[in-house]
Coordinates of all heavy atoms in Angstrom, one line a residue:
M1 N 0.8 -1.2 0.0 CA 0.0 -0.1 0.0 C 0.9 1.2 0.1 O 1.4 1.5 -0.9 CB -0.9 0.0 1.2 CG -2.0 -1.1 1.1 SD -2.6 -1.8 2.7 CE -2.7 -0.2 3.7
L2 N 0.9 1.9 1.2 CA 1.6 3.2 1.2 C 3.1 3.1 1.2 O 3.9 4.0 1.0 CB 1.1 4.0 2.4 CG -0.3 4.4 2.4 CD1 -0.7 5.1 3.7 CD2 -0.5 5.3 1.1
L3 N 3.6 2.0 1.8 CA 4.9 1.9 2.2 C 5.9 1.1 1.4 O 6.9 0.7 1.9 CB 5.0 1.4 3.7 CG 4.2 2.3 4.7 CD1 4.1 1.7 6.0 CD2 4.9 3.7 4.8
A4 N 5.6 1.1 0.1 CA 6.5 0.2 -0.8 C 7.9 0.7 -0.8 O 8.8 -0.2 -0.8 CB 5.9 0.2 -2.1
A5 N 8.1 1.9 -0.5 CA 9.5 2.4 -0.6 C 10.3 2.0 0.5 O 11.5 2.1 0.5 CB 9.5 3.9 -0.7
C6 N 9.7 1.4 1.6 CA 10.5 1.3 2.8 C 11.0 -0.2 3.0 O 11.4 -0.5 3.9 CB 9.8 1.9 4.0 SG 10.2 3.5 4.1
G7 N 10.6 -1.1 2.1 CA 11.1 -2.5 2.2 C 10.6 -3.3 3.3 O 11.3 -4.2 3.8
G8 N 9.4 -3.1 3.8 CA 8.7 -4.0 4.6 C 9.4 -3.9 6.0 O 9.9 -3.0 6.5
N9 N 9.3 -5.1 6.7 CA 9.8 -5.0 8.1 C 11.0 -6.0 8.4 O 11.1 -6.6 9.5 CB 8.6 -5.5 9.0 CG 7.9 -6.7 8.5 OD1 8.5 -7.5 7.6 ND2 6.8 -7.1 9.0
K10 N 11.9 -6.0 7.4 CA 13.2 -6.8 7.7 C 13.9 -6.2 8.8 O 13.9 -4.9 9.0 CB 14.0 -6.8 6.4 CG 13.8 -7.9 5.5 CD 14.7 -7.8 4.3 CE 14.3 -6.7 3.3 NZ 15.1 -6.6 2.2
A11 N 14.4 -7.0 9.7 CA 15.2 -6.4 10.8 C 16.5 -6.0 10.3 O 17.2 -6.4 9.4 CB 15.4 -7.6 11.8
P12 N 16.8 -4.7 10.8 CA 18.1 -4.1 10.3 C 19.2 -4.9 10.9 O 19.2 -5.4 12.1 CB 18.0 -2.8 11.0 CG 17.0 -2.8 12.1 CD 16.0 -3.9 11.7
A13 N 20.3 -5.1 10.2 CA 21.5 -5.8 10.5 C 22.2 -5.2 11.7 O 22.7 -5.9 12.6 CB 22.4 -6.0 9.4
T14 N 22.3 -3.9 11.7 CA 23.1 -3.2 12.7 C 22.1 -2.3 13.4 O 21.5 -1.4 12.9 CB 24.2 -2.3 12.0 OG1 23.6 -1.5 11.1 CG2 25.3 -3.2 11.4
Q15 N 22.2 -2.4 14.7 CA 21.3 -1.6 15.6 C 22.2 -1.0 16.8 O 21.6 -0.6 17.8 CB 20.2 -2.5 16.2 CG 18.9 -2.0 15.5 CD 17.7 -2.7 16.1 OE1 17.9 -3.8 16.7 NE2 16.5 -2.1 16.1
S16 N 23.4 -1.0 16.6 CA 24.3 -0.7 17.7 C 24.0 0.6 18.5 O 23.9 0.5 19.6 CB 25.8 -0.8 17.3 OG 26.0 0.2 16.1
S17 N 23.9 1.7 17.7 CA 23.8 2.9 18.4 C 22.4 3.5 18.5 O 22.3 4.7 18.7 CB 24.8 3.9 17.9 OG 24.4 4.1 16.5
S18 N 21.4 2.7 18.3 CA 20.0 3.2 18.4 C 19.7 3.4 19.8 O 19.9 2.6 20.8 CB 19.1 2.3 17.7 OG 18.2 1.7 18.6
P19 N 19.2 4.7 20.1 CA 19.0 5.1 21.5 C 17.8 4.5 22.2 O 17.0 5.0 22.7 CB 18.8 6.6 21.3 CG 18.3 6.8 20.0 CD 18.7 5.5 19.1
T20 N 17.7 3.1 22.2 CA 16.7 2.5 22.8 C 16.8 2.5 24.2 O 17.9 2.2 24.8 CB 16.6 1.1 22.3 OG1 16.7 1.0 20.9 CG2 15.3 0.3 22.7
P21 N 15.6 2.8 25.0 CA 15.7 2.7 26.4 C 16.0 1.3 26.9 O 15.4 0.4 26.4 CB 14.4 3.2 26.9 CG 13.6 3.4 25.7 CD 14.4 3.2 24.5
S22 N 16.8 1.2 27.9 CA 17.1 -0.1 28.3 C 15.9 -0.8 29.0 O 15.1 -0.1 29.5 CB 18.3 -0.1 29.3 OG 18.1 0.8 30.3
G23 N 15.9 -2.1 29.0 CA 14.8 -2.8 29.6 C 14.6 -4.2 29.0 O 14.9 -4.2 27.8
P24 N 14.1 -5.1 29.8 CA 14.0 -6.5 29.3 C 12.8 -6.7 28.2 O 12.7 -7.6 27.6 CB 13.8 -7.3 30.5 CG 13.2 -6.4 31.5 CD 13.7 -4.9 31.1
A25 N 11.9 -5.7 28.2 CA 10.6 -5.8 27.4 C 10.9 -5.6 25.9 O 10.0 -5.9 25.2 CB 9.6 -5.0 28.0
A26 N 12.1 -5.1 25.5 CA 12.2 -4.7 24.1 C 12.3 -5.8 23.1 O 12.1 -5.5 21.9 CB 13.4 -3.7 24.1
A27 N 12.3 -7.0 23.6 CA 12.7 -8.1 22.6 C 11.8 -8.3 21.4 O 12.2 -8.1 20.2 CB 12.8 -9.3 23.4
V28 N 10.5 -8.6 21.7 CA 9.7 -8.9 20.5 C 8.6 -7.7 20.2 O 7.8 -7.9 19.4 CB 8.9 -10.2 20.7 CG1 9.6 -11.4 20.0 CG2 8.7 -10.4 22.0
Q29 N 8.7 -6.8 20.9 CA 7.8 -5.6 20.7 C 8.2 -4.8 19.4 O 9.2 -5.1 18.9 CB 7.8 -4.7 21.9 CG 7.6 -5.4 23.3 CD 6.3 -6.0 23.5 OE1 5.3 -5.8 22.8 NE2 6.1 -6.9 24.5
S30 N 7.2 -4.0 19.1 CA 7.7 -3.0 18.1 C 8.7 -2.2 18.5 O 8.9 -1.9 19.7 CB 6.4 -2.2 17.7 OG 6.0 -1.4 18.7
N31 N 9.5 -1.6 17.5 CA 10.6 -0.8 17.9 C 10.2 0.5 17.5 O 9.5 0.9 16.6 CB 11.9 -1.2 17.0 CG 12.3 -2.6 17.2 OD1 12.6 -2.9 18.3 ND2 12.5 -3.4 16.1
S32 N 10.7 1.5 18.3 CA 10.5 2.8 18.0 C 11.8 3.6 17.6 O 13.0 3.2 18.0 CB 9.8 3.6 19.2 OG 10.7 4.0 20.1
Y33 N 11.7 4.5 16.6 CA 12.7 5.2 16.0 C 12.5 6.7 16.1 O 11.3 7.1 16.0 CB 13.0 4.8 14.6 CG 13.3 3.3 14.4 CD1 12.2 2.4 14.4 CD2 14.6 2.9 14.4 CE1 12.6 1.1 14.2 CE2 14.9 1.6 14.2 CZ 13.9 0.6 14.2 OH 14.2 -0.7 14.0
H34 N 13.5 7.5 16.0 CA 13.3 8.9 16.0 C 13.8 9.5 14.8 O 14.8 9.0 14.2 CB 14.2 9.6 17.2 CG 14.3 11.0 17.2 ND1 15.4 11.8 16.8 CD2 13.3 12.0 17.3 CE1 15.1 13.0 16.9 NE2 13.9 13.2 17.1
G35 N 13.0 10.4 14.1 CA 13.3 10.9 12.8 C 13.2 12.4 12.9 O 12.5 13.0 13.8
V36 N 13.8 13.0 11.9 CA 13.8 14.5 11.7 C 13.5 14.8 10.3 O 14.0 14.1 9.5 CB 15.1 15.3 12.2 CG1 15.0 16.7 12.0 CG2 15.4 14.9 13.6
G37 N 12.6 15.8 10.0 CA 12.2 16.0 8.6 C 11.4 17.3 8.4 O 11.2 18.0 9.4
V38 N 11.0 17.4 7.2 CA 10.2 18.5 6.8 C 8.9 18.1 6.3 O 8.9 17.1 5.5 CB 10.9 19.4 5.7 CG1 9.9 20.6 5.3 CG2 12.1 20.0 6.3
V39 N 7.8 18.7 6.8 CA 6.4 18.2 6.3 C 6.2 18.6 4.9 O 6.4 19.7 4.5 CB 5.4 18.9 7.3 CG1 4.0 18.5 6.8 CG2 5.6 18.5 8.8
K40 N 5.8 17.6 4.2 CA 5.4 17.9 2.7 C 3.9 17.9 2.5 O 3.5 18.7 1.6 CB 6.1 16.8 1.9 CG 7.6 16.9 1.8 CD 8.0 18.3 1.3 CE 9.5 18.5 1.1 NZ 9.8 19.8 0.6
S41 N 3.1 17.1 3.2 CA 1.8 17.2 3.1 C 1.1 16.6 4.4 O 1.7 15.8 5.0 CB 1.1 16.6 1.8 OG 1.4 15.2 1.8
L42 N -0.2 17.0 4.5 CA -1.0 16.5 5.7 C -2.2 15.9 5.2 O -2.8 16.4 4.3 CB -1.3 17.7 6.7 CG -0.1 18.3 7.3 CD1 -0.5 19.6 8.0 CD2 0.6 17.4 8.4
N43 N -2.5 14.7 5.8 CA -3.8 14.0 5.3 C -4.5 13.5 6.6 O -4.4 12.4 7.0 CB -3.4 12.8 4.4 CG -4.6 12.0 4.0 OD1 -5.7 12.4 4.3 ND2 -4.4 10.9 3.4
P44 N -5.3 14.5 7.1 CA -6.1 14.2 8.3 C -7.0 13.0 8.2 O -7.4 12.5 9.1 CB -6.8 15.6 8.7 CG -6.2 16.5 7.9 CD -5.6 15.9 6.6
K45 N -7.5 12.8 7.0 CA -8.4 11.7 6.8 C -7.8 10.3 6.8 O -8.4 9.2 7.0 CB -9.1 11.8 5.5 CG -10.2 13.0 5.5 CD -10.9 13.1 4.3 CE -11.7 14.3 4.2 NZ -11.9 14.9 2.9
G46 N -6.4 10.2 6.6 CA -5.7 8.9 6.6 C -5.9 8.3 8.0 O -6.4 7.1 7.9
P47 N -5.5 8.8 9.1 CA -4.6 10.1 9.0 C -3.1 9.7 8.5 O -2.7 8.5 8.9 CB -4.5 10.5 10.4 CG -4.9 9.3 11.3 CD -5.7 8.3 10.5
A48 N -2.6 10.6 7.9 CA -1.1 10.3 7.4 C -0.4 11.6 7.3 O -1.0 12.7 7.2 CB -1.2 9.6 6.1
I49 N 0.9 11.5 7.2 CA 1.7 12.7 6.9 C 2.8 12.3 6.1 O 3.4 11.3 6.2 CB 2.2 13.3 8.3 CG1 3.0 14.5 8.1 CG2 3.1 12.2 9.0 CD1 3.3 15.2 9.4
E50 N 3.1 13.3 5.0 CA 4.2 13.0 4.1 C 5.3 13.8 4.7 O 5.2 15.1 4.9 CB 3.8 13.4 2.8 CG 4.9 13.0 1.7 CD 4.5 13.3 0.2 OE1 3.3 13.9 0.1 OE2 5.3 13.1 -0.7
I51 N 6.5 13.2 4.8 CA 7.7 13.8 5.4 C 8.9 13.7 4.5 O 9.1 12.5 4.0 CB 7.9 13.3 6.7 CG1 6.8 13.3 7.7 CG2 9.1 13.9 7.5 CD1 7.0 12.5 9.0
D52 N 9.6 14.7 4.2 CA 11.0 14.5 3.6 C 11.9 14.3 4.8 O 12.3 15.4 5.4 CB 11.2 15.8 2.8 CG 12.5 15.7 2.0 OD1 13.2 14.6 2.2 OD2 12.9 16.6 1.2
H53 N 12.2 13.1 5.2 CA 13.0 12.9 6.3 C 14.5 12.5 6.1 O 14.8 12.2 5.0 CB 12.3 11.7 7.1 CG 12.3 10.3 6.5 ND1 13.5 9.6 6.6 CD2 11.3 9.7 5.9 CE1 13.1 8.4 5.9 NE2 11.9 8.4 5.5
G54 N 15.3 12.8 7.1 CA 16.6 12.4 7.0 C 16.8 11.0 7.3 O 15.9 10.2 7.6
D55 N 18.1 10.5 7.4 CA 18.4 9.2 7.7 C 17.9 8.7 9.0 O 18.0 9.5 10.0 CB 19.9 9.1 7.7 CG 20.5 7.6 7.6 OD1 20.2 7.1 6.6 OD2 21.1 7.2 8.6
I56 N 17.1 7.6 9.1 CA 16.7 7.1 10.4 C 17.6 5.8 10.7 O 17.2 4.8 10.0 CB 15.2 6.8 10.4 CG1 14.4 8.1 9.9 CG2 14.7 6.3 11.7 CD1 13.0 7.9 9.7
E57 N 18.5 6.0 11.6 CA 19.4 5.0 11.7 C 18.7 3.7 12.1 O 17.9 3.6 13.0 CB 20.4 5.4 12.9 CG 21.6 4.4 12.9 CD 22.7 5.0 13.7 OE1 22.7 6.1 14.0 OE2 23.5 4.1 14.2
G58 N 19.0 2.4 11.5 CA 18.4 1.3 11.8 C 17.1 1.0 11.1 O 16.6 0.0 11.2
L59 N 16.7 2.0 10.4 CA 15.3 1.8 9.9 C 15.2 2.1 8.3 O 14.8 1.2 7.6 CB 14.2 2.8 10.4 CG 12.8 2.6 10.1 CD1 12.4 1.0 10.4 CD2 11.9 3.5 10.8
M60 N 15.7 3.2 7.9 CA 15.7 3.6 6.5 C 16.6 4.8 6.2 O 16.8 5.6 7.2 CB 14.2 3.9 6.0 CG 13.7 5.1 6.6 SD 12.0 5.3 6.0 CE 11.0 4.5 7.2
P61 N 17.0 4.9 4.9 CA 17.8 6.1 4.6 C 17.0 7.3 4.5 O 15.6 7.2 4.5 CB 18.4 5.8 3.3 CG 17.5 4.7 2.7 CD 16.9 4.0 3.9
A62 N 17.5 8.4 4.1 CA 16.7 9.7 3.9 C 15.9 9.4 2.6 O 16.3 8.9 1.7 CB 17.7 10.8 3.7
M63 N 14.7 9.9 2.8 CA 13.7 9.9 1.7 C 12.6 10.7 1.9 O 12.3 11.2 3.1 CB 13.2 8.4 1.4 CG 12.4 7.9 2.5 SD 11.9 6.2 2.2 CE 13.4 5.3 2.6
Q64 N 11.7 10.9 0.9 CA 10.4 11.5 1.1 C 9.4 10.5 0.9 O 9.3 9.8 0.0 CB 10.1 12.6 0.1 CG 8.9 13.3 0.2 CD 8.7 14.5 -0.7 OE1 9.6 15.2 -1.0 NE2 7.5 14.8 -1.1
M65 N 8.4 10.4 2.0 CA 7.5 9.4 2.0 C 6.3 9.7 2.9 O 6.3 10.7 3.7 CB 8.0 8.0 2.4 CG 8.5 8.1 3.9 SD 9.2 6.6 4.4 CE 7.6 5.7 4.8
E66 N 5.1 8.9 2.7 CA 4.0 9.2 3.6 C 4.0 8.1 4.7 O 4.2 6.9 4.4 CB 2.7 9.1 2.8 CG 1.5 9.5 3.5 CD 0.2 9.4 2.7 OE1 -0.2 8.5 2.2 OE2 -0.3 10.6 2.4
F67 N 3.8 8.6 5.8 CA 3.6 7.6 7.0 C 2.2 7.7 7.6 O 1.6 8.8 7.7 CB 4.4 8.2 8.2 CG 6.0 7.9 7.9 CD1 6.7 9.1 7.6 CD2 6.6 6.8 8.2 CE1 8.0 9.0 7.4 CE2 8.0 6.6 8.1 CZ 8.6 7.7 7.7
P68 N 1.6 6.5 7.9 CA 0.3 6.7 8.6 C 0.6 7.2 10.0 O 1.7 7.0 10.5 CB -0.2 5.2 8.7 CG 0.9 4.4 8.0 CD 2.0 5.2 7.6
V69 N -0.3 7.9 10.7 CA -0.1 8.4 11.9 C -1.2 7.7 12.8 O -2.3 7.3 12.4 CB -0.3 9.8 12.1 CG1 0.8 10.6 11.3 CG2 -1.5 10.4 11.7
T70 N -0.9 7.5 14.1 CA -1.8 6.7 14.9 C -3.1 7.6 15.3 O -4.2 7.0 15.7 CB -1.2 6.5 16.3 OG1 -0.5 7.6 16.9 CG2 -0.2 5.3 16.2
D71 N -3.0 8.8 15.3 CA -4.1 9.7 15.7 C -4.0 11.1 14.9 O -3.1 11.7 14.8 CB -4.0 9.9 17.2 CG -5.3 10.7 17.8 OD1 -6.0 11.5 16.9 OD2 -5.5 10.6 18.9
A72 N -5.2 11.4 14.3 CA -5.2 12.7 13.5 C -4.9 13.9 14.3 O -4.5 14.9 13.8 CB -6.6 12.8 12.9
N73 N -5.1 13.8 15.7 CA -4.8 14.9 16.5 C -3.3 15.2 16.5 O -2.8 16.3 16.9 CB -5.3 14.6 18.0 CG -6.6 14.7 18.2 OD1 -7.5 15.4 17.3 ND2 -7.2 13.9 19.0
L74 N -2.5 14.2 16.2 CA -1.0 14.5 16.1 C -0.7 15.5 15.0 O 0.4 16.1 15.0 CB -0.3 13.3 15.7 CG -0.3 12.1 16.8 CD1 0.5 10.9 16.2 CD2 0.4 12.5 18.1
L75 N -1.7 15.7 14.1 CA -1.4 16.8 13.0 C -1.8 18.1 13.4 O -1.5 19.1 12.6 CB -2.2 16.3 11.8 CG -1.8 14.8 11.2 CD1 -2.7 14.6 10.0 CD2 -0.4 14.6 10.9
N76 N -2.5 18.2 14.4 CA -2.8 19.6 14.8 C -1.6 20.4 15.2 O -0.7 20.0 15.9 CB -3.7 19.5 16.2 CG -5.1 19.0 16.0 OD1 -5.5 18.9 14.8 ND2 -5.8 18.6 17.0
G77 N -1.7 21.7 14.6 CA -0.6 22.6 14.9 C 0.6 22.4 14.0 O 1.6 23.1 14.1
I78 N 0.5 21.4 13.1 CA 1.6 21.1 12.2 C 1.2 21.6 10.8 O 0.0 21.5 10.4 CB 1.8 19.6 12.1 CG1 2.1 19.0 13.5 CG2 3.0 19.2 11.1 CD1 3.4 19.5 14.2
A79 N 2.1 22.2 10.1 CA 1.9 22.8 8.8 C 2.9 22.4 7.8 O 4.0 21.9 8.2 CB 1.8 24.3 8.8
V80 N 2.5 22.4 6.5 CA 3.5 22.0 5.5 C 4.7 23.0 5.6 O 4.6 24.1 5.7 CB 2.8 22.1 4.0 CG1 3.8 22.1 2.9 CG2 1.7 21.1 3.8
N81 N 5.8 22.4 5.4 CA 7.1 23.1 5.5 C 7.6 23.3 6.9 O 8.7 23.7 7.1 CB 7.2 24.5 4.8 CG 7.1 24.2 3.2 OD1 7.7 23.3 2.7 ND2 6.4 25.2 2.6
D82 N 6.9 22.8 7.8 CA 7.4 22.8 9.3 C 8.5 21.8 9.4 O 8.4 20.6 8.8 CB 6.3 22.4 10.3 CG 5.4 23.5 10.6 OD1 5.6 24.6 10.2 OD2 4.3 23.3 11.2
R83 N 9.6 22.1 10.2 CA 10.6 21.1 10.4 C 10.1 20.4 11.8 O 9.7 21.0 12.7 CB 11.9 21.7 10.7 CG 12.6 22.2 9.5 CD 14.0 22.6 9.8 NE 14.9 21.7 10.4 CZ 15.4 20.7 9.8 NH1 15.4 20.5 8.5 NH2 16.1 19.7 10.5
I84 N 10.0 19.1 11.7 CA 9.5 18.3 12.9 C 10.5 17.2 13.3 O 11.3 16.7 12.6 CB 8.2 17.6 12.5 CG1 8.5 16.7 11.3 CG2 7.1 18.6 12.3 CD1 7.2 15.8 11.0
D85 N 10.4 16.9 14.6 CA 10.9 15.7 15.2 C 9.7 14.8 15.3 O 8.7 15.1 15.6 CB 11.4 15.9 16.6 CG 12.7 16.7 16.8 OD1 13.6 16.1 16.1 OD2 12.7 17.7 17.4
F86 N 10.0 13.5 14.9 CA 8.9 12.5 15.0 C 9.4 11.2 15.5 O 10.5 10.8 15.4 CB 8.1 12.4 13.8 CG 9.0 12.0 12.5 CD1 9.0 10.7 12.1 CD2 9.8 12.8 11.9 CE1 9.6 10.3 11.0 CE2 10.6 12.5 10.7 CZ 10.5 11.1 10.3
T87 N 8.4 10.4 16.0 CA 8.7 9.0 16.5 C 7.8 8.2 15.7 O 6.7 8.3 15.3 CB 8.3 8.9 18.0 OG1 9.0 10.0 18.8 CG2 8.6 7.6 18.5
I88 N 8.6 7.0 15.2 CA 8.0 5.9 14.5 C 8.0 4.7 15.3 O 9.0 4.3 15.8 CB 8.8 5.7 13.1 CG1 8.9 7.0 12.4 CG2 8.1 4.5 12.3 CD1 10.0 6.9 11.3
E89 N 6.9 4.0 15.2 CA 6.9 2.6 15.8 C 6.8 1.7 14.7 O 5.9 1.8 13.9 CB 5.5 2.4 16.7 CG 5.5 3.4 17.9 CD 6.4 2.8 19.0 OE1 6.6 1.6 18.9 OE2 6.7 3.6 19.9
N90 N 7.7 0.8 14.6 CA 7.8 -0.1 13.5 C 7.3 -1.6 14.0 O 8.0 -2.2 14.7 CB 9.3 -0.3 13.0 CG 9.4 -1.1 11.7 OD1 8.4 -1.3 11.0 ND2 10.5 -1.5 11.4
G91 N 6.0 -1.6 13.7 CA 5.3 -2.9 14.4 C 5.4 -4.1 13.4 O 6.1 -3.9 12.4
P92 N 4.8 -5.2 13.8 CA 4.9 -6.3 13.0 C 4.4 -6.2 11.5 O 4.9 -6.9 10.6 CB 4.2 -7.5 13.7 CG 3.5 -6.8 14.9 CD 4.0 -5.3 14.9
S93 N 3.3 -5.5 11.4 CA 2.7 -5.3 10.0 C 2.9 -4.0 9.3 O 2.8 -3.9 8.1 CB 1.3 -5.7 10.1 OG 0.6 -4.8 10.9
E94 N 3.1 -2.9 10.1 CA 3.3 -1.7 9.4 C 4.0 -0.7 10.4 O 4.0 -0.9 11.6 CB 2.0 -1.0 9.0 CG 1.0 -0.7 10.1 CD -0.2 0.0 9.6 OE1 -0.2 0.5 8.5 OE2 -1.1 0.1 10.4
M95 N 4.4 0.4 9.9 CA 5.1 1.4 10.8 C 4.1 2.7 10.8 O 3.3 2.9 9.8 CB 6.4 1.7 10.3 CG 6.7 2.4 9.0 SD 8.4 2.7 8.7 CE 8.7 1.3 7.6
K96 N 4.1 3.2 12.0 CA 3.2 4.4 12.1 C 4.0 5.5 13.0 O 4.8 5.1 13.8 CB 2.0 4.0 13.0 CG 1.0 3.1 12.2 CD -0.4 3.1 13.0 CE -1.4 2.6 12.0 NZ -2.7 3.0 12.4
V97 N 3.6 6.7 12.6 CA 4.1 7.8 13.4 C 3.2 7.9 14.6 O 2.0 8.0 14.5 CB 4.0 9.1 12.6 CG1 4.5 10.4 13.4 CG2 5.1 8.9 11.5
T98 N 3.9 8.0 15.8 CA 3.2 8.0 17.1 C 3.3 9.3 17.8 O 2.7 9.6 18.7 CB 3.5 6.9 18.0 OG1 5.1 7.1 18.3 CG2 3.4 5.5 17.4
A99 N 4.3 10.1 17.4 CA 4.4 11.5 18.0 C 5.1 12.4 16.9 O 5.9 12.0 16.2 CB 5.3 11.3 19.2
I100 N 4.7 13.7 17.0 CA 5.2 14.6 16.2 C 5.4 15.9 17.1 O 4.6 16.3 17.8 CB 4.2 15.0 15.0 CG1 3.9 13.8 14.2 CG2 4.8 16.2 14.2 CD1 2.8 14.1 13.2
K101 N 6.7 16.5 16.9 CA 6.9 17.7 17.6 C 7.6 18.7 16.7 O 8.6 18.4 16.0 CB 7.9 17.4 18.8 CG 7.9 18.5 19.7 CD 8.7 18.1 21.0 CE 10.0 18.9 21.1 NZ 11.0 18.4 21.7
K102 N 6.9 19.8 16.6 CA 7.5 20.9 15.8 C 8.7 21.4 16.3 O 8.8 21.7 17.5 CB 6.4 22.0 15.6 CG 6.7 23.0 14.6 CD 5.4 24.0 14.5 CE 5.8 25.2 13.7 NZ 4.6 26.1 13.6
K103 N 9.8 21.7 15.4 CA 11.1 22.3 15.9 C 10.8 23.7 15.8 O 10.3 24.3 14.8 CB 12.1 21.9 14.9 CG 12.7 20.4 15.2 CD 13.6 20.2 14.1 CE 15.0 19.4 14.4 NZ 15.4 19.1 15.7
E104 N 11.5 24.4 16.7 CA 11.3 25.9 16.7 C 12.2 26.5 15.7 O 13.3 26.0 15.5 CB 11.7 26.4 18.1 CG 10.7 26.0 19.2 CD 9.3 26.2 18.9 OE1 9.0 27.4 18.3 OE2 8.4 25.4 19.2
Ligands
CU1 CU1 11.1 6.5 4.5

């Protein structure tokens, strides 16, 4: 569907420096990643957001793509061309943006 560019859910080979909080529960759960990018379009009906994002270590290289978001409310206060920090949860079947923070 939307995420053909991202190569599905293969586990990354190297994860050495990903800033995962320590804890025993991380093994089979979804992984979360931090990204930085510029908003290209907003789709509150998806809900989804298109981001021109930088390299996301352990997940994907820099690219422009659309991500589903968990809640349309995450898009409130965000506009096209905003620079954002965002969090991606890479679950068993798809990845979703779970948090968005506008950079000042
Ligand atoms: Cu991507």
Side-chain angles (χ1 to χ4, degrees):
M1 294 154 36
L2 295 175
L3 298 174
C6 275
N9 50 12
K10 268 182 287 187
T14 56
Q15 250 185 337
S16 50
S17 58
S18 117
T20 313
S22 56
V28 261
Q29 309 293 344
S30 60
N31 295 311
S32 85
Y33 297 87
H34 172 247
V36 178
V38 176
V39 178
K40 290 301 181 180
S41 69
L42 297 165
N43 177 6
K45 289 183 188 150
I49 185 170
E50 187 175 359
I51 305 170
D52 186 355
H53 67 76
D55 195 67
I56 301 172
E57 190 169 342
L59 185 62
M60 66 177 90
M63 70 179 77
Q64 180 173 327
M65 61 180 284
E66 187 174 66
F67 291 96
V69 301
T70 50
D71 187 333
N73 288 329
L74 293 175
L75 306 178
N76 290 344
I78 303 293
V80 170
N81 291 324
D82 281 351
R83 286 188 58 80
I84 55 169
D85 284 305
F86 59 100
T87 302
I88 303 165
E89 295 282 340
N90 190 15
S93 61
E94 67 175 344
M95 62 182 103
K96 285 196 165 196
V97 169
T98 58
I100 301 172
K101 195 172 110 202
K102 189 172 168 177
K103 278 170 146 350
E104 298 306 321

